[in-house]
Amino acid sequence: MAFSRFAKRMDQLKASEIREILKLTERPEVISFAGGLPDPELFPIRELQLIAVKVLEEHGKEALQYATTEGYRPLRDKIALRMNRTLGTAWTADNILITSGSQQGIDLAGKAFLDEGDVIFCESPSYLGAIQAFRAYGPEFVEVPTDHEGMDIVQLRELLQTTQRAKLIYVIPDFQNPTGRSWTLARRQELIKLANEFDLVIIEDNPYGELRFEGEPIPSLQSLDTEGRVLHLGTFSKTFCPGLRMGWTAADSAIIPKLVLLKQGADLQASTISQRQLDAYLETYDLGEQIVKIVEVYRKRRDTMMEALRREMPADVRFNIPSGGLFTWLELAPELNARDLLVRCLDHNVAFVPGGSFYPNGGHENTLRLNYSNMTEERIIEGIARLGKVLREYTAELQASPLSI
Amino acid sequence: MAFSRFAKRMDQLKASEIREILKLTERPEVISFAGGLPDPELFPIRELQLIAVKVLEEHGKEALQYATTEGYRPLRDKIALRMNRTLGTAWTADNILITSGSQQGIDLAGKAFLDEGDVIFCESPSYLGAIQAFRAYGPEFVEVPTDHEGMDIVQLRELLQTTQRAKLIYVIPDFQNPTGRSWTLARRQELIKLANEFDLVIIEDNPYGELRFEGEPIPSLQSLDTEGRVLHLGTFSKTFCPGLRMGWTAADSAIIPKLVLLKQGADLQASTISQRQLDAYLETYDLGEQIVKIVEVYRKRRDTMMEALRREMPADVRFNIPSGGLFTWLELAPELNARDLLVRCLDHNVAFVPGGSFYPNGGHENTLRLNYSNMTEERIIEGIARLGKVLREYTAELQASPLSI
C-alpha cells in the first residue's frame, strides 16, 4: 500500500491507449499500423559511429560535462539558419531552446502559459501526447472542427467569441498526427489574424513538415506571425533519429528565457553529448540528403498503402491521401466502432490505433489512424488486405445482428 | 513585443543566481568555488568511446529508435540490484523509472503530488534547483531548521501540527547540497515516523551518497520506509558523468506508473542510446572502481580545502567538514553579507555561491557554499587565500564604517 494522496491533476491522466496497444503488437507475426515510428533501416548508424568517436576524442570532457540550459550554441545557430532557409523565419541562436524531443516543447509551453481553467483550442482530432502534456496544467480543451484545409475558421471565431479565458491554440499544420492533413496558406493567415484579434498564443508543432512527398512547402505559421505569438516546435526524431531525443523550441527572444527557467527546473539541460553529436553530424553530413532518402522510401510506402486501401476497403470508407508525414486516417460508416474492429483485427494479426483516442472530449469512434513509415511494401499490402477482410466480416455481422435492425 | 500572458506560476520564477554567477566566472583567471561540477578529468572517456562504437555496432537500430517510457529494462534491473546492495532496498526493475538526471525526478514528483497551496517541508537551507522545480506547482515552502544531525524533528513536529495541507518533505540526507551535512540514523528514523503519522510523501534526493570519504554508510530513508511513501532519486551525474543526463526514480510499484504517465507527457522517454551506453558500461566495467577513484581525488581536495580554511579564515567563521560529496558551507559573522563579499571577491578573481540563494524564504545572507570537486589542490589553496584576504578587508572596512557603529 503506497502513498496515494496524488495531486488532483492525476485524476485526469490515464495510460495512453496507443502505448498499451503497442505492447500487444510487439509479436513479430502482427502487422502493426499502430506505431508512429521512423524506419530504423534509414538511421545513419555508420555516420553516428564515426561522430561518436570523434566527439569524445576531440571534446570528451566538455561533451560529458554539464552545460547551459539553453543548449549548445553552435547547434542552436545551425537550427536557426536551417529554419530561416526552410521555414521563412528570421531567427538567431537566441530564439532557439534545445529540448528533449519536441514533446518537451509541448510540456514547457503548457507550463509557461496555462493556468488552471484556461482554454486550449486544438484541431479535432489532435495529437494525444500533446493533450496528455497540457492536461497536467488543468486547462479545458475546445476541439475545433477541422477539414482538409485546416481548422474551420468561421467556427473557431464563433467559439472564441463565446469562450472566457481563451489562451492557447495548438496545431500541427503540416501532415498532421493523426490525420496526415495539412493546412492551406489561407487558413494559416486567418488563424494568425484571429490569434492577434483575441490575443492568443499559438503552438505550431512541426515534427513532419520536412517529410514532404510532393508539392511546394506552405509557409509556416511562425513565418506569418508579426507579433511574437507563435512558438514553433521542431524535432530531429523523424529526419535523423528519435533515440537521441533532440528537439527544439523556436520563439521570440522575450519568451525563450522563460522557457529556459522552466527547463532548468524540469531537467537542467538536454544531453550535452547528444547535442554535440548532432552538431557534428550537421557539420559533417548533409541532413537534406538524408531527408531525400527518407522521403523516397516513405513516399513509396504511402503509394502502396493508398493502392491497397483503394483495392481492399468497402466503398463507404473514406481515407486521406497524405502529401507527407507518417500517417493516414480512415473514416468508417458511422455505425462502426474502430475499437471493436481492433479487437477483431488482433485475432488476425493486424493492428492500428482507434481514432477516438485522438479526440480530447471523446466520440468519433468510427475513425482510425494507419502508419506506413516503418513497414515493407509487402507487409503493407498483406496488412491492408487483412484489415479489409476483417472490416467486411464485421460489417456483415453487424448488419445480420437483430440489434442493428 | 512578444506574447506575455504567461501563467501565474511564471511570476514566481526568476533566473537562478548560481547560473548567472557561473556565467561571470567562466574566465580562466577566476578561481571559482561556485560550481557543483564533477571533475571531467575523471570521466571514463576511453571506455565510453569503445562502448559507443559497440552499442551502435550491435544494436544500432534499437539504440536510435523510440523506446518505452519506463526505460531500458536491463538498465533498470541493474539499478535495482545496485540499490538493493548499497542502500538496503528490495526493488525490482518495476520500481525504477529512468529520468533525465535526478532533476527530472524532482519535477515529476512535484507534478504527481502537489496541488496549488500544498505545503512542502524542506531543510533550511536546501537545493535551489528543487525549490525551482517545485515552485512551478504553486506550493508553499516551510523551511525546517536543520543542524549537523539533520532536520530538527521537534520543530518539524510542531510545524506539522500547525500546518494545514502538509503534503511533502524534500530532503538530501547524504552530503547535502548546499551544506555537505548528513543525517544521523536516529533523525532518519524519526522522520519516517512523522511521515507515517502525518501521512506525508518523502522525496529522498541522493546525488552524492556514493561519494563517501570515510565512515560507514547510513541507511537510506527508503530502506527504513515500510509504507511506500519514500521516493528515492538517484543519478549517474556524479559517479559517471552528467553529460548523458542519466538518473532514476525508485518508488513503490503503485507510484511508478503514475510517474510514467507524467514522463510520457513531459518528454516521452529518456535517451535510448544513452541508456544503452550506460547499461553496457555497467555490464563491462566496475562502477565501484570508478567511484573509488573519484572518492580518492575529492577526499584530498576536501582535506586541502579544510586545511586552507583553518589557516585563512578569521576565527569567527564556522565551516562544515563534509564526510563526502562536493560542498562545504561557511557561516560568517551575522553582520556580514555574502553577496557583498562576492562582489569584492570577483574583483580578486575568486567566486562562490552566496548562501541566501538556498533559503526559499530568503535571509541567512551571512552564509556561503564552496565547491572543491573540480579544482586542483594548488588552486584551492590559492583561492581560499584570496577569499580570506578579501573577507578580512571587508570585515575591517565594515568595522571602520560609521554606519556600523
Side-chain angles (χ1 to χ4, degrees):
Chain A
M1 187 51 210
F3 185 79
S4 59
R5 291 170 57 213
F6 289 103
K8 281 200 307 277
R9 66 177 63 84
M10 301 307 289
D11 301 342
Q12 302 292 320
L13 289 180
K14 47 180 201 245
S16 149
E17 189 163 10
I18 287 193
R19 294 181 168 267
E20 296 308 308
I21 290 169
L22 277 175
K23 285 180 193 163
L24 287 178
T25 60
E26 271 167 9
R27 291 174 289 138
E29 64 271 26
V30 176
I31 297 182
S32 176
F33 302 117
L37 305 184
D39 186 344
E41 299 288 344
L42 296 162
F43 294 159
I45 296 175
R46 181 74 194 131
E47 291 87 337
L48 261 167
Q49 264 183 342
L50 297 171
I51 277 167
V53 171
K54 189 173 137 83
V55 165
L56 284 168
E57 195 92 31
E58 296 174 6
H59 307 285
K61 286 184 231 167
E62 297 83 2
L64 298 175
Q65 186 59 286
Y66 285 112
T68 61
T69 304
E70 291 83 345
Y72 186 50
R73 182 165 272 272
L75 176 60
R76 290 157 65 216
D77 279 329
K78 289 186 182 65
I79 289 172
L81 283 174
R82 188 171 174 84
M83 280 190 71
N84 297 348
R85 209 171 59 236
T86 61
L87 294 166
T89 50
W91 295 141
T92 70
D94 292 331
N95 299 103
I96 308 293
L97 168 66
I98 305 296
T99 56
S100 180
S102 53
Q103 182 71 33
Q104 189 177 43
I106 299 172
D107 183 53
L108 296 178
K111 215 172 196 172
F113 293 108
L114 295 176
D115 286 313
E116 201 178 327
D118 280 353
V119 176
I120 298 183
F121 295 84
C122 64
E123 293 158 291
S124 178
S126 186
Y127 168 52
L128 62 87
I131 293 161
Q132 190 179 358
F134 288 136
R135 223 189 267 284
Y137 305 104
E140 283 174 41
F141 293 93
V142 174
E143 296 176 42
V144 184
T146 306
D147 60 25
H148 282 74
E149 303 196 330
M151 273 184 183
D152 181 325
I153 298 289
V154 175
Q155 292 200 52
L156 174 57
R157 172 179 286 280
E158 282 168 17
L159 288 167
L160 282 167
Q161 281 164 343
T162 56
T163 302
Q164 302 289 323
R165 302 192 54 188
K167 175 65 79 70
L168 190 153
I169 305 183
Y170 171 79
V171 290
I172 307 169
D174 290 286
F175 318 128
Q176 197 228 20
N177 180 3
T179 63
R181 296 170 184 162
S182 297
W183 288 45
T184 61
L185 176 58
R187 293 280 180 95
R188 293 176 197 228
Q189 288 165 330
E190 290 173 275
L191 182 74
I192 294 285
K193 262 192 239 165
L194 275 189
N196 291 346
E197 186 178 335
F198 289 89
D199 196 17
L200 306 174
V201 64
I202 296 176
I203 311 299
E204 177 179 41
D205 194 3
N206 183 30
Y208 315 109
E210 299 204 73
L211 303 181
R212 172 173 282 282
F213 305 148
E214 59 245 339
E216 286 302 306
I218 305 161
S220 67
L221 287 169
Q222 201 165 50
S223 71
L224 303 172
D225 173 31
T226 55
E227 301 192 355
R229 57 175 75 251
V230 177
L231 275 69
H232 185 99
L233 311 184
T235 178
F236 291 95
S237 291
K238 310 304 189 293
T239 54
F240 181 61
C241 66
L244 294 188
R245 312 301 304 124
M246 285 284 106
W248 74 92
T249 297
D252 189 281
S253 58
I255 289 176
I256 291 290
K258 302 282 187 181
L259 300 177
V260 168
L261 286 179
L262 292 177
K263 182 158 169 74
Q264 272 178 19
D267 63 4
L268 294 182
Q269 56 157 113
S271 161
T272 322
I273 188 162
S274 296
Q275 291 185 72
R276 290 208 174 234
Q277 286 173 353
L278 175 57
D279 182 70
Y281 177 86
L282 295 174
E283 189 81 38
T284 315
Y285 301 98
D286 184 344
L287 182 64
E289 279 178 23
Q290 171 69 9
I291 293 173
V292 167
K293 268 192 234 168
I294 295 171
V295 163
E296 278 172 15
V297 172
Y298 292 179
R299 186 198 290 120
K300 271 190 216 148
R301 290 176 184 175
R302 186 269 322 253
D303 290 341
T304 302
M305 182 172 272
M306 294 301 122
E307 282 164 35
L309 287 171
R310 280 188 209 104
R311 196 167 50 235
E312 305 285 353
M313 288 298 116
D316 61 351
V317 172
R318 292 191 296 174
F319 56 90
N320 179 47
I321 302 169
S323 298
L326 312 185
F327 305 109
T328 188
W329 182 251
L330 269 63
E331 282 185 51
L332 312 177
E335 69 274 17
L336 299 189
N337 184 307
R339 293 180 208 265
D340 294 344
L341 179 64
L342 176 61
V343 173
R344 289 158 182 266
C345 278
L346 286 173
D347 289 341
H348 293 78
N349 288 332
V350 60
F352 56 82
V353 184
S357 322
F358 298 98
Y359 293 87
N361 302 320
H364 306 268
E365 294 294 351
N366 63 321
T367 59
L368 59 95
R369 188 189 79 177
L370 299 178
N371 166 265
Y372 49 76
S373 58
N374 189 17
M375 181 128 20
T376 63
E377 291 165 49
E378 292 69 27
R379 275 171 80 85
I380 290 174
I381 293 168
E382 170 63 23
I384 296 297
R386 288 184 199 170
L387 176 62
K389 183 163 175 288
V390 176
L391 180 57
R392 283 189 301 272
E393 286 170 7
Y394 172 39
T395 309
E397 271 182 50
L398 217 63
Q399 285 166 349
S401 148
L403 284 175
S404 75
I405 299 172
Chain B
M1 187 51 209
F3 185 79
S4 60
R5 291 170 56 212
F6 290 102
K8 282 200 308 277
R9 66 176 64 83
M10 301 307 289
D11 301 341
Q12 301 292 321
L13 288 181
K14 45 179 202 247
S16 149
E17 188 162 11
I18 285 194
R19 293 181 168 266
E20 296 308 307
I21 290 169
L22 277 175
K23 284 181 193 164
L24 287 178
T25 59
E26 272 167 9
R27 291 173 289 140
E29 63 271 26
V30 176
I31 297 181
S32 176
F33 302 118
L37 305 184
D39 187 343
E41 300 288 342
L42 296 162
F43 294 159
I45 296 175
R46 181 73 194 132
E47 291 86 338
L48 261 167
Q49 265 182 342
L50 297 171
I51 276 168
V53 171
K54 188 173 138 80
V55 165
L56 284 168
E57 195 93 30
E58 295 174 6
H59 307 285
K61 287 184 233 168
E62 298 82 2
L64 298 175
Q65 186 59 286
Y66 285 112
T68 59
T69 304
E70 290 84 345
Y72 185 50
R73 182 165 273 270
L75 176 60
R76 291 156 65 216
D77 278 329
K78 288 186 183 66
I79 290 170
L81 283 174
R82 190 171 172 82
M83 280 191 72
N84 296 348
R85 208 170 59 236
T86 61
L87 293 166
T89 51
W91 295 141
T92 71
D94 292 330
N95 300 102
I96 308 293
L97 168 66
I98 305 296
T99 56
S100 179
S102 53
Q103 182 71 32
Q104 188 177 43
I106 299 172
D107 183 53
L108 296 178
K111 216 173 197 172
F113 294 108
L114 294 177
D115 287 312
E116 201 177 329
D118 280 352
V119 175
I120 298 183
F121 295 83
C122 64
E123 293 157 292
S124 178
S126 187
Y127 167 52
L128 62 88
I131 293 161
Q132 190 178 357
F134 289 136
R135 225 189 265 286
Y137 305 104
E140 282 175 42
F141 293 94
V142 173
E143 296 176 42
V144 183
T146 306
D147 62 25
H148 282 74
E149 303 195 329
M151 273 184 183
D152 181 325
I153 299 290
V154 175
Q155 292 200 51
L156 175 58
R157 170 179 287 280
E158 282 168 15
L159 288 166
L160 282 167
Q161 281 163 341
T162 57
T163 302
Q164 302 288 324
R165 301 191 54 187
K167 175 66 78 72
L168 189 152
I169 305 182
Y170 171 79
V171 291
I172 308 170
D174 289 285
F175 318 128
Q176 197 230 20
N177 180 2
T179 63
R181 296 169 183 161
S182 297
W183 288 45
T184 61
L185 176 58
R187 292 279 179 96
R188 294 175 195 227
Q189 288 164 331
E190 289 172 276
L191 182 74
I192 294 286
K193 261 192 238 165
L194 275 189
N196 291 346
E197 186 178 336
F198 289 89
D199 196 17
L200 306 173
V201 63
I202 296 176
I203 311 298
E204 177 178 42
D205 193 5
N206 184 29
Y208 315 108
E210 298 203 74
L211 303 181
R212 172 172 284 281
F213 306 148
E214 59 244 341
E216 286 302 306
I218 305 161
S220 66
L221 286 170
Q222 201 164 51
S223 72
L224 302 172
D225 172 31
T226 55
E227 301 191 354
R229 57 176 73 250
V230 177
L231 274 68
H232 185 99
L233 311 184
T235 179
F236 291 95
S237 290
K238 311 304 189 291
T239 54
F240 181 60
C241 67
L244 295 188
R245 312 302 303 124
M246 285 284 104
W248 74 92
T249 297
D252 189 282
S253 57
I255 289 177
I256 290 291
K258 303 281 187 180
L259 301 176
V260 168
L261 286 179
L262 292 176
K263 183 159 169 72
Q264 272 179 17
D267 63 4
L268 294 183
Q269 57 158 113
S271 160
T272 322
I273 188 162
S274 295
Q275 292 185 72
R276 291 211 174 230
Q277 286 173 352
L278 175 56
D279 182 70
Y281 177 86
L282 295 174
E283 189 80 38
T284 316
Y285 301 98
D286 184 343
L287 182 66
E289 278 178 23
Q290 172 68 8
I291 293 173
V292 167
K293 270 192 232 166
I294 295 171
V295 162
E296 277 172 15
V297 172
Y298 292 179
R299 187 198 290 118
K300 271 191 215 148
R301 291 177 182 175
R302 186 271 320 256
D303 290 342
T304 302
M305 182 172 273
M306 294 301 122
E307 281 163 34
L309 287 171
R310 279 187 208 102
R311 196 167 52 236
E312 305 286 353
M313 288 298 116
D316 60 353
V317 172
R318 292 191 295 173
F319 55 90
N320 180 45
I321 302 169
S323 299
L326 313 184
F327 304 108
T328 187
W329 182 250
L330 268 62
E331 282 186 51
L332 312 177
E335 68 274 17
L336 300 188
N337 184 309
R339 294 180 207 263
D340 295 344
L341 179 64
L342 176 61
V343 173
R344 291 157 181 267
C345 278
L346 286 173
D347 289 340
H348 294 77
N349 289 330
V350 59
F352 56 82
V353 184
S357 323
F358 299 99
Y359 294 87
N361 302 320
H364 305 268
E365 295 294 350
N366 64 321
T367 59
L368 60 95
R369 188 190 78 177
L370 299 178
N371 165 265
Y372 48 76
S373 57
N374 188 19
M375 181 127 18
T376 62
E377 290 166 50
E378 292 69 27
R379 275 171 78 87
I380 290 174
I381 292 167
E382 171 61 23
I384 296 296
R386 289 184 199 170
L387 175 63
K389 184 164 174 289
V390 176
L391 179 57
R392 282 189 301 273
E393 286 170 9
Y394 172 40
T395 309
E397 272 182 48
L398 214 65
Q399 284 165 350
S401 148
L403 284 175
S404 76
I405 298 173

